Amino acid sequence: MTDRALAVVRAGALTTVQDTGRPGHAHLGVPRSGALDGPSAALVNRLVGNPRGAAVLETTLNGVAVRPGSTVTAAVAGAPCPVTVDGRPVAWGAPVRVPAGSVLDVGPAVRGVRSYVAVSGGVAVEAVLGSRSTDLLSGLGPPPLTDGTVLPLGHPTDVHARVDVAPQPAPPAELLLRVTLGPRDDWFTPEATRAFTTRTYRVSPTSNRIGLRTEGPALERSVTGELPSEGMVLGAVQVPPDGRPVVFLADHPTTGGYPVIGVVRTPDLPAAAQAAPGTPVRFMAVRRR
């Protein structure tokens, strides 16, 4: 392993490389991808002096452990979790010095789902279509990490963090998603639309980077015919045959054949990335801009 590299000691349930994604390729069938909780990814980059778009690690539920080949500055934020260096507790949400050969261990999320790990210089895997992000749907970018994976690191800049620690919102106890109805809300009965915007759902354990699946009232359709495949956008709320809404996240398909009852406002999606299974979900209808 070279000095500017990061060896994966423990990969965790699902740890991927993510940056700001690859927008502008939907016409090729390529979703945006990128960090689900963009503000947390940007924060850890800021804490270690990286550019906002530098690639970071996105963990899922039980964290990751890595060993740098040279001394680096690291920061962990997103879902709160214990962080240690060679077994000694260090700060979460703040820059931390990790000596060469030491193990930075990001533990299980105490609340929320996804933690973000930035290392000075950023993860420097090869970019695909302008992004280093792992896309679980299309398979673009590096595969999810496994034990023993070695990741190249970029060279740190001379820019130092202007803050030693930064506040960030806690993972939601209840997820409130503002949604603009349409374009296919007329495919549902008035009772279904009312249930969608007034009843409480819960986050399903089957949720992933492609979509936040829900458990709750099934939405009855008034139109039972088939819908030709049409374009899908980030935040689209698609309703499959079981009637339970699915909120499309960063790795969503770019087309789909199930009706979209509404679209969630983009600023609400980072909270969706941190909503653990069982979290109550409410959809609040808002007017079109």
Side-chain angles (χ1 to χ4, degrees), residues 188 191-202 214-220 239-240 242-246 261 281 283:
F188 298 87
E191 292 77 13
T193 303
R194 186 161 48 251
F196 174 60
T197 56
T198 60
R199 300 282 296 277
T200 299
Y201 289 82
R202 291 189 178 276
T214 64
E215 298 172 340
L219 303 181
E220 183 182 1
V239 183
D242 68 3
R244 272 75 181 186
V246 178
I261 192 171
V281 183
F283 296 96

Side-chain angles (χ1 to χ4, degrees), residues 153-196:
L153 296 178
H155 291 281
T157 66
D158 293 330
V159 177
H160 298 285
R162 297 182 179 179
V163 292
D164 293 326
V165 66
Q168 58 180 315
E174 179 183 58
L175 185 60
L176 178 62
L177 300 176
R178 295 170 297 169
V179 61
T180 302
L181 293 176
R184 302 297 180 187
D185 54 316
D186 57 352
W187 278 53
F188 298 87
T189 65
E191 292 77 13
T193 303
R194 186 161 48 251
F196 174 60

Side-chain angles (χ1 to χ4, degrees), residues 78-97:
C81 59
V83 184
T84 63
V85 173
D86 285 343
R88 298 186 301 274
V90 295
W92 172 89
V96 172
R97 181 178 180 274

Side-chain angles (χ1 to χ4, degrees), residues 87-279:
R88 298 186 301 274
V90 295
W92 172 89
V96 172
R97 181 178 180 274
V98 184
S102 294
V103 174
L104 171 69
D105 193 293
V106 179
V110 176
R111 288 188 61 189
V113 177
R114 295 173 174 90
S115 298
Y116 291 85
V117 186
V119 176
S120 50
V123 178
V125 295
E126 183 178 355
V128 179
L129 294 177
S131 171
R132 295 182 167 93
S133 290
T134 300
D135 180 347
L136 297 183
L137 185 65
S138 70
L140 294 178
L145 303 191
T146 58
D147 294 357
T149 297
V150 177
L151 300 170
L153 296 178
H155 291 281
T157 66
D158 293 330
V159 177
H160 298 285
R162 297 182 179 179
V163 292
D164 293 326
V165 66
Q168 58 180 315
E174 179 183 58
L175 185 60
L176 178 62
L177 300 176
R178 295 170 297 169
V179 61
T180 302
L181 293 176
R184 302 297 180 187
D185 54 316
D186 57 352
W187 278 53
F188 298 87
T189 65
E191 292 77 13
T193 303
R194 186 161 48 251
F196 174 60
T197 56
T198 60
R199 300 282 296 277
T200 299
Y201 289 82
R202 291 189 178 276
V203 175
S204 167
T206 59
S207 300
N208 55 26
R209 283 186 47 85
I210 296 170
L212 182 143
R213 296 182 177 273
T214 64
E215 298 172 340
L219 303 181
E220 183 182 1
R221 284 170 52 169
S222 58
V223 179
T224 57
E226 295 297 322
L227 178 68
S229 289
E230 53 190 4
M232 293 290 144
V233 298
L234 183 68
V237 184
Q238 194 180 64
V239 183
D242 68 3
R244 272 75 181 186
V246 178
V247 181
F248 277 168
L249 301 178
D251 288 356
H252 70 86
T254 56
T255 61
Y258 299 134
V260 171
I261 192 171
V263 179
V264 173
R265 294 285 175 89
T266 301
D268 294 351
L269 295 177
Q274 297 296 359
T279 299

Side-chain angles (χ1 to χ4, degrees), residues 19 81 169 276 284:
D19 55 19
C81 59
M284 182 178 71

